[in-house]
Amino acid sequence: MDVELSTIANHLTDGESHIMSKRYIVWRTVFLLLLMEIQVWRRLYETVYVFKYSPTARMHIVGYFTGLFFYTAAPLSLCSMCAPEVVKFAFHCPAEFIVKGRYEVPFLKFDWSGFVNPVTKLGWFPWIGATIFIWGWIHQRRCHAILGSLREHKEHTNEYRIPHGDWFEIVSCPHYLAEIVIYGGLLIASGGSDLTIWLLFGFVVVNLVFAAAETQRWYLRKFENYPRTRGAILPFIY
């Protein structure tokens, strides 16, 4: 009898632990998506109100669809960890509704403490990652403001000037460097255990390093007095 009770108790404990583990994964995913949302909304604001584009500026169709694909795939990659649970829940609820009936399915009965408590138990990685994310976020905002200020007047939108200030003093593309820092923060906040987030981070790094190299060459061709001590994107390295 004691063995049976012990077995039942262990089973219930394991079940509760499994549920808490799933809730932790879901809340960590929500945490990552909130950070991503902060980044996306700021970028949208800057596109509309901060940057002054030249009337002759054009975006290549490949670049347009690459950006569209990226900002669709990035949030999906962040929530891939709990996607199976979401699909399982989506299929389970209609089945339960059909079997039990409308009045037997407790849609409105939630254990709110059970959902909120995991937030306080996220661990160090999400908060360290969030700190790195915010650090990169702030610097990218500053660098974008500097770039936007180079064309404060519409009549000067065809003029180009050398940007100065913040990380522009050490690299030519600090906004790209800040983007890498931002997604590095997301990677750390995720715990680094999901392959899709590593692939997302790798795509960001490779894409921006190539873009920074091209921008660096353009600056050197355009301005004879361009600071030669500036790296392209990585301080003192590249």
Side-chain angles (χ1 to χ4, degrees), residues 195-217:
L195 176 61
T196 56
I197 299 181
W198 278 102
L199 294 175
L200 173 67
F201 180 69
F203 174 83
V204 169
V205 172
V206 172
N207 181 54
L208 294 183
V209 165
F210 277 106
E214 184 61 31
T215 302
Q216 173 87 335
R217 286 192 288 269

Side-chain angles (χ1 to χ4, degrees), residues 103-117:
Y103 299 103
E104 297 297 327
V105 180
F107 283 109
L108 301 179
K109 294 181 181 179
F110 293 103
D111 178 13
W112 292 107
S113 63
F115 282 91
V116 174
N117 285 340

Side-chain angles (χ1 to χ4, degrees), residues 141-218:
R141 176 181 171 276
R142 291 174 180 171
C143 293
H144 283 170
I146 291 170
L147 289 174
S149 69
L150 298 179
R151 293 177 174 180
E152 290 183 346
H153 305 287
K154 290 185 178 180
E155 58 270 19
H156 297 152
T157 53
N158 287 320
E159 295 181 5
Y160 294 94
R161 290 183 288 167
I162 300 175
H164 292 279
D166 203 69
W167 286 355
F168 276 108
E169 302 304 323
I170 53 176
V171 292
S172 296
C173 300
H175 48 312
Y176 292 167
L177 172 60
E179 187 93 350
I180 292 175
V181 172
I182 285 170
Y183 283 93
L186 288 175
L187 176 63
I188 294 173
S190 72
S193 59
D194 193 275
L195 176 61
T196 56
I197 299 181
W198 278 102
L199 294 175
L200 173 67
F201 180 69
F203 174 83
V204 169
V205 172
V206 172
N207 181 54
L208 294 183
V209 165
F210 277 106
E214 184 61 31
T215 302
Q216 173 87 335
R217 286 192 288 269
W218 182 88

Side-chain angles (χ1 to χ4, degrees), residues 1-219:
M1 185 66 177
D2 292 339
V3 175
E4 292 179 358
L5 290 175
S6 177
T7 302
I8 294 172
N10 289 334
H11 178 74
L12 293 175
T13 303
D14 291 341
E16 184 178 353
S17 176
H18 178 73
I19 292 173
M20 291 303 296
S21 176
K22 293 297 182 182
R23 287 178 179 175
Y24 166 77
I25 293 175
V26 170
W27 270 111
R28 186 176 63 184
T29 300
V30 170
F31 188 77
L32 294 174
L33 289 174
L34 287 175
L35 294 178
M36 187 69 185
E37 194 75 5
I38 293 171
Q39 170 70 357
V40 169
W41 279 106
R42 199 206 78 236
R43 292 299 304 275
L44 177 62
Y45 172 83
E46 290 171 342
T47 300
V48 177
Y49 297 106
V50 176
F51 295 126
K52 279 76 176 179
Y53 299 99
S54 169
T56 59
R58 296 292 184 272
M59 176 180 284
H60 196 281
I61 189 67
V62 175
Y64 175 80
F65 280 108
T66 299
L68 189 63
F69 168 78
F70 176 80
Y71 280 106
T72 302
L76 293 176
S77 68
L78 295 178
C79 63
S80 63
M81 293 175 291
C82 65
E85 295 301 315
V86 173
V87 173
K88 183 178 178 182
F89 177 80
F91 279 101
H92 174 74
C93 281
E96 186 181 11
F97 181 84
I98 293 171
V99 173
K100 292 184 177 181
R102 175 181 178 182
Y103 299 103
E104 297 297 327
V105 180
F107 283 109
L108 301 179
K109 294 181 181 179
F110 293 103
D111 178 13
W112 292 107
S113 63
F115 282 91
V116 174
N117 285 340
V119 178
T120 63
K121 300 177 182 178
L122 285 175
W124 286 104
F125 279 110
W127 298 110
I128 292 173
T131 302
I132 295 172
F133 172 93
I134 293 171
W135 180 51
W137 191 91
I138 291 172
H139 279 285
Q140 189 176 64
R141 176 181 171 276
R142 291 174 180 171
C143 293
H144 283 170
I146 291 170
L147 289 174
S149 69
L150 298 179
R151 293 177 174 180
E152 290 183 346
H153 305 287
K154 290 185 178 180
E155 58 270 19
H156 297 152
T157 53
N158 287 320
E159 295 181 5
Y160 294 94
R161 290 183 288 167
I162 300 175
H164 292 279
D166 203 69
W167 286 355
F168 276 108
E169 302 304 323
I170 53 176
V171 292
S172 296
C173 300
H175 48 312
Y176 292 167
L177 172 60
E179 187 93 350
I180 292 175
V181 172
I182 285 170
Y183 283 93
L186 288 175
L187 176 63
I188 294 173
S190 72
S193 59
D194 193 275
L195 176 61
T196 56
I197 299 181
W198 278 102
L199 294 175
L200 173 67
F201 180 69
F203 174 83
V204 169
V205 172
V206 172
N207 181 54
L208 294 183
V209 165
F210 277 106
E214 184 61 31
T215 302
Q216 173 87 335
R217 286 192 288 269
W218 182 88
Y219 274 131

